[in-house]
């Protein structure tokens, strides 16, 4: 019986490899967290592959895609966002926050370098921002916070349920649920050596994540996130109101702490983009919108919706002067 099972599994693995490479053949990027719901695995380094690319992913002991540091950086630039900021699909050092740091280091010459903290995490909504700004950002006292929004934020915020709109449209932090069955299964599977590199297991994991995700509307067709496939299209007035309230709260928290802000827009378009820009103007926060895949296909992978290495380089080149302007703007003025 054991031999028959082994033979069946072997044949299924061969069939899975013949059918094509699924997303994320390799370990999961995140683990369950009782505060954030999910966070990047701390102190890991592995290669993940897909049908289009293979890339090296490394985190430090704090669970950030940053170099290991003995002491927290002093007044760094803090990047918050999803898989675009995390750098899904590009090797360590190729993500745009790290490229911005390198450009600023070259420009400053012998002056003390401005360091960067990359707190981006794939498959996460804006609730991660609010929790990070309240719990971890104060130890850094960032000189600038770069907030990256994505077209799937509306769906992610409804799915995660970290915050909700209460009476008088006030933002309410909700209790974080316990680990899902997918997380419990992940722990068991990753205890089996080599299983995470199986095509069959990766296909089953992709199916399970899709089954476990609550279908939520998004304003435009969205790229797949780092740990889960996209949901159906559409839009939700309740989700949009919640998302804008969370962005408003994040900008207000930064302003209250004296941290300058810059917003990076990836995929918000139409009336929702107009509302976002109006909100940012009220907070004196400059906004820069990245060209879509239809406008600049050379920045993106052909199948996957994320930026390729050339896309991260281009975004860093365009973003660096905006960051310099935000850092040098007079008091009371947030930037261009």
């Amino acid at each position: 019986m054991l031999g028959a099972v082994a033979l069946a599994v072997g044949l299924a693995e061969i069939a899975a490899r013949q059918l094509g490479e699924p997303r994320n053949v390799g370990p999961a990027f995140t683990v369950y967290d009782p505060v954030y719901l999910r966070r990047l695995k701390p102190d890991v380094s592995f290669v993940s592959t897909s049908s289009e690319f293979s890339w090296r992913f490394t985190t430090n002991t704090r669970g950030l895609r940053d170099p290991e540091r003995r002491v927290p950086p002093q007044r760094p630039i803090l990047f918050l966002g999803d898989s675009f900021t995390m750098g899904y699909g590009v090797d360590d050092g190729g993500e745009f926050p790290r490229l911005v740091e390198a450009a600023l280091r070259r420009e400053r010459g012998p002056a003390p370098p401005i360091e960067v903290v990359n707190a981006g995490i794939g498959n996460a909504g804006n609730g991660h921002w609010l929790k990070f700004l309240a719990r971890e950002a104060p130890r850094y006292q960032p000189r600038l916070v770069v907030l990256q929004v994505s077209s799937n934020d509306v769906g992610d915020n409804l799915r995660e349920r970290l915050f909700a709109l209460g009476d008088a449209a006030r933002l309410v932090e909700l209790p974080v649920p316990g680990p899902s069955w997918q997380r419990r299964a992940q722990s068991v599977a990753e205890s089996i050596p080599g299983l995470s590199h199986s095509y069959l297991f990766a296909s089953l994991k992709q199916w399970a994540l899709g089954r476990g995700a609550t279908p939520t509307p998004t304003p435009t067709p969205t790229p797949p996130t780092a740990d889960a496939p996209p949901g159906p299209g559409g839009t939700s007035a309740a989700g949009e109101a919640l998302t804008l309230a969370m962005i408003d709260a994040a900008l207000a928290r930064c302003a209250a702490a004296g941290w300058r802000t810059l917003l990076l827009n990836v995929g918000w378009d139409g009336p929702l983009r107009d509302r976002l820009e109006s909100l940012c103007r009220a907070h004196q926060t400059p906004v820069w919108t990245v060209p879509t895949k239809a406008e600049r296909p050379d920045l993106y992978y052909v199948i996957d919706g994320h930026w390729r290495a050339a896309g991260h380089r281009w975004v860093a080149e365009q973003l660096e002067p905006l960051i310099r302007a935000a850092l040098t703007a007079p008091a009371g003025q947030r930037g261009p």
Side-chain angles (χ1 to χ4, degrees):
M1 289 179 63
L2 290 174
V5 170
L7 177 61
V9 170
L11 292 174
E13 176 69 20
I14 293 173
R17 290 176 179 267
Q18 294 299 317
L19 290 174
E21 197 160 12
R23 285 182 57 81
N24 302 331
V25 179
F29 306 104
T30 60
V31 291
Y32 171 78
D33 187 88
V35 173
Y36 296 99
L37 186 60
R38 65 178 57 79
R39 69 182 305 153
L40 296 184
K41 287 180 176 177
D43 199 21
V44 296
S45 184
F46 56 83
V47 173
S48 180
T49 61
S50 74
S51 59
E52 284 192 276
F53 49 82
S54 177
W55 58 296
R56 167 68 64 176
F57 174 79
T58 302
T59 61
N60 61 21
T61 53
R62 300 193 65 85
L64 300 173
R65 200 176 185 193
D66 275 346
E68 193 64 54
R69 299 180 174 105
R70 293 182 180 178
V71 295
Q74 299 300 307
R75 294 191 52 76
I77 299 173
L78 171 62
F79 285 82
L80 289 168
D82 58 15
S83 50
F84 285 93
T85 296
M86 185 188 79
Y88 178 82
V90 296
D91 286 328
D92 299 327
E95 59 274 25
F96 77 89
R98 197 61 49 210
L99 297 175
V100 167
E101 181 183 55
L104 292 174
R105 187 182 298 270
R106 289 192 299 269
E107 179 189 328
R108 289 175 65 86
I114 296 177
E115 295 182 289
V116 159
V117 171
N118 184 355
I121 174 173
N123 198 28
N126 309 116
H128 179 259
W129 296 5
L130 291 175
K131 289 174 176 282
F132 195 96
L133 289 171
R135 290 166 172 81
E136 300 187 46
R139 73 162 57 95
Y140 298 113
Q141 287 299 308
R143 66 183 69 205
L144 176 68
V145 180
V146 181
L147 302 165
Q148 175 251 312
V149 299
S150 184
S151 57
N152 55 11
D153 285 340
V154 173
D156 286 342
N157 292 330
L158 290 174
R159 170 178 53 83
E160 289 181 331
R161 287 191 54 78
L162 295 177
F163 291 85
L165 288 178
D167 297 337
R170 294 185 61 182
L171 205 59
V172 179
E173 186 170 356
L174 302 176
V176 176
S180 64
W181 69 266
Q182 291 101 328
R183 284 299 186 193
R184 293 192 292 269
Q186 173 187 325
S187 299
V188 174
E190 291 185 347
S191 67
I192 303 174
L195 184 60
S196 60
H197 295 282
S198 161
Y199 280 45
L200 175 62
F201 175 72
S203 299
L204 292 173
K205 181 176 69 172
Q206 183 172 315
W207 172 83
L209 288 171
R211 292 271 296 178
T214 303
T216 50
T218 50
T220 58
T222 63
T225 54
D227 280 351
T235 188
S236 163
E240 290 177 4
L242 171 63
T243 300
L244 289 169
M246 295 168 77
I247 296 172
D248 183 37
L251 293 174
R253 183 178 292 276
C254 291
W259 306 333
R260 297 169 185 261
T261 48
L262 172 66
L263 192 133
L264 180 62
N265 173 25
V266 182
W268 285 41
D269 203 359
L272 189 57
R273 174 180 171 181
D274 295 338
R275 293 170 65 188
L276 174 68
E277 292 179 345
S278 176
L279 174 64
C280 289
R281 281 195 298 271
H283 286 278
Q284 296 183 312
T285 296
V287 181
W288 179 56
T289 298
V290 182
T292 64
K293 188 173 182 178
E295 294 167 334
R296 288 291 306 271
D298 57 304
L299 304 179
Y300 297 78
Y301 286 110
V302 176
I303 300 173
D304 190 274
H306 291 88
W307 302 323
R308 61 176 77 228
H312 278 268
R313 289 194 297 270
W314 186 85
V315 168
E317 290 169 0
Q318 305 304 310
L319 194 59
E320 189 259 343
L322 298 178
I323 287 176
R324 282 193 285 105
L327 290 174
T328 58
Q333 180 181 334
R334 295 288 175 171

